[in-house]
């Protein structure tokens, strides 16, 4: 069983909203500091959200994060064709002494 | 500006050794962990390990422990990822990234290097 589970894909029309879930195995997660990464095809990943809901400089407020004790959600509003990418959640897991990435979610703009 | 610049693409034969690099600029190198992430073609991100340049404290993913070596040269502000005997299954893109925070605290990877493509083929 993966530590972090994401849906393989989500899709919506331009201008609409999508949400991507990241569900954690409760027995593995100690502290909830989820981060999210966007990887446009052919490019390196980039940080979108850290500390569950904070955006680094340069990330538009169309991207948002929310969380509970055992899960995180990435929201993208006003969907644009440039948002087509793979999105990954990640977190440090104390009990594993390891960082873990979710399996990734492909966002398609219809 | 904080940047990580990785060495160029490599092609090797199975059994050969390889060391790729990640040069940091724009911040105090010894104050932040640096991590390595593998991405096989068409697949997701896999965390390999992190290293703290100040004292070379290194944490490996169990999946990569004993398979690779992560090291740093503080004087060159550079982190390295090394293989002693490559396999075809090591063919992948490898990314370095600055790892913020002490492991287990508020952690995230930012920024990322541009990636180094490693191809292992006979």
């Amino acid at each position: 069983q993966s530590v972090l589970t994401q849906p393989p894909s989500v899709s919506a029309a331009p201008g609409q909203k999508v949400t991507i879930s990241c569900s954690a195995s409760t027995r593995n997660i100690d502290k909830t500091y989820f981060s999210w990464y966007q990887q446009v095809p052919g490019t390196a990943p980039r940080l979108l959200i850290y500390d569950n809901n904070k955006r680094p400089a340069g990330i538009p407020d169309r991207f948002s994060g929310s969380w509970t004790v055992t899960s995180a959600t990435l929201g993208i509003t006003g969907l644009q064709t440039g948002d087509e990418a793979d999105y990954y959640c990640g977190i440090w897991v104390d009990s594993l002494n390891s960082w873990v990435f979710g399996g990734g979610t492909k966002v398609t703009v219809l | 500006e904080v940047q990580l610049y990785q060495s160029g693409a490599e092609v090797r034969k199975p059994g050969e050794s390889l060391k790729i690099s990640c040069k940091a600029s724009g911040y105090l190198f010894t104050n932040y962990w640096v991590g390595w992430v593998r991405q096989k073609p068409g697949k997701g991100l896999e965390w390999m390990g992190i290293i703290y340049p100040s004292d070379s404290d290194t944490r490996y993913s169990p999946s990569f422990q004993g398979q690779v070596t992560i090291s740093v040269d503080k004087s060159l502000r550079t982190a390295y990822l090394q293989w002693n005997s490559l396999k075809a299954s090591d063919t992948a893109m490898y990314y370095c990234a600055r790892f913020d925070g002490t492991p287990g605290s508020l952690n995230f990877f930012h920024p990322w290097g541009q990636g180094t493509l490693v191809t292992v083929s006979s």
Side-chain angles (χ1 to χ4, degrees):
Chain A
Q1 180 186 4
S2 298
V3 176
L4 298 179
T5 301
Q6 298 181 233
S9 64
V10 297
S11 61
Q16 297 300 303
K17 175 180 179 177
V18 294
T19 59
I20 302 170
S21 61
C22 173
S23 179
S25 302
T26 56
R27 63 181 176 275
N28 283 319
I29 297 299
D30 307 301
K31 307 185 193 74
T32 50
Y33 295 119
F34 289 97
S35 53
W36 288 91
Y37 305 85
Q38 178 195 57
Q39 188 178 31
V40 174
T43 70
R46 71 164 176 166
L47 178 68
L48 276 185
I49 297 287
Y50 68 99
D51 193 11
N52 301 312
N53 64 353
K54 295 180 175 58
R55 290 185 306 276
I59 301 299
D61 58 7
R62 299 188 300 106
F63 296 92
S64 64
S66 62
W67 80 104
T68 67
V69 172
T70 59
S71 67
T73 300
L74 175 70
I76 311 174
T77 59
L79 206 58
Q80 302 174 0
T81 55
D83 297 332
E84 284 203 330
D86 294 316
Y87 293 81
Y88 298 89
C89 59
I91 197 168
W92 182 270
V93 181
D94 277 336
S95 57
L96 300 177
N97 197 27
S98 296
W99 178 269
V100 177
F101 286 106
T105 299
K106 182 177 181 60
V107 169
T108 301
V109 181
L110 301 172
Chain B
E1 180 188 5
V2 176
Q3 289 186 311
L4 297 174
Y5 186 77
Q6 298 185 230
S7 49
E10 302 278 2
V11 180
R12 292 286 188 277
K13 291 180 167 52
E16 293 186 340
S17 62
L18 176 64
K19 192 174 189 178
I20 63 175
S21 66
C22 169
K23 186 173 179 63
S25 63
Y27 71 98
L28 189 54
F29 182 62
T30 50
N31 276 15
Y32 292 85
W33 295 73
V34 176
W36 288 94
V37 175
R38 183 175 78 176
Q39 186 170 40
K40 291 190 171 187
K43 301 299 184 182
L45 304 176
E46 300 175 89
W47 176 72
M48 302 178 72
I50 52 173
I51 188 165
Y52 192 58
S54 179
D55 60 7
S56 293
D57 183 6
T58 309
R59 317 285 176 90
Y60 289 97
S61 161
S63 299
F64 292 94
Q65 178 84 48
Q67 307 304 308
V68 297
T69 301
I70 296 173
S71 61
V72 293
D73 185 324
K74 288 188 290 187
S75 66
L76 297 179
R77 304 170 57 86
T78 299
Y80 301 96
L81 180 63
Q82 181 176 358
W83 295 262
N84 289 334
S85 181
L86 286 159
K87 302 184 279 288
S89 57
D90 293 319
T91 294
M93 182 71 83
Y94 293 87
Y95 294 102
C96 67
R98 194 178 80 170
F99 183 74
D100 225 275
T102 303
S105 66
L106 170 54
N107 299 136
F108 52 89
F109 287 100
H110 178 67
W112 293 63
Q114 82 278 19
T116 296
L117 181 62
V118 173
T119 303
V120 184
S121 174
S122 54

